[in-house]
Amino acid sequence: AADAQPDVVLVTVDPATDDPARLTDYLAGFGPGFHGLTGEPSALAVLYRALGVATRRVEMGDGSYMYDHGTAVYVIDPAGRWVALLPAPHTAATVAAAYRALVAPAG
């Protein structure tokens, strides 16, 4: 439909703590087109490799940890084709151009 909006999928880099309930809580403030993806670490690793995403667990020394990860936005059409890769910093102009490419009528 012409008024259809693209969905946004945020993929966890910490599936040990980002279960579906936690992702639902986190995404509640974003809007209805935002979805969370978590799963088995081995399955997520396949996705990270396919997208070229590097992640690294960093021990903080006090028993806690954090993850270093890329900040790029991957724009992928419903057929699974890459439309754009938006490296940080994300500007309104680059996001708008990728959005227009994603929703442009085929032709």
Side-chain angles (χ1 to χ4, degrees):
D3 61 349
Q5 297 294 309
D7 287 337
V8 175
V9 179
L10 301 176
V11 180
T12 184
V13 295
D14 189 3
T17 59
D18 290 339
D19 60 23
R22 185 169 183 177
L23 288 176
T24 298
D25 289 345
Y26 177 72
L27 293 169
F30 285 89
F34 285 74
H35 309 281
L37 178 66
T38 189
E40 292 297 320
S42 59
L44 290 169
V46 171
L47 177 60
Y48 304 152
R49 276 192 303 277
L51 295 174
V53 173
T55 67
R56 182 173 65 100
R57 182 176 161 139
V58 178
E59 300 297 329
M60 302 306 292
D62 61 359
S64 66
Y65 65 91
M66 60 176 266
Y67 271 90
D68 281 342
H69 57 80
T71 58
V73 172
Y74 300 81
V75 181
I76 302 169
D77 73 9
R81 295 178 299 239
W82 285 48
V83 173
L85 174 64
L86 309 176
H90 307 294
T91 66
T94 58
V95 172
Y99 174 82
R100 285 190 296 275
L102 182 63
V103 299

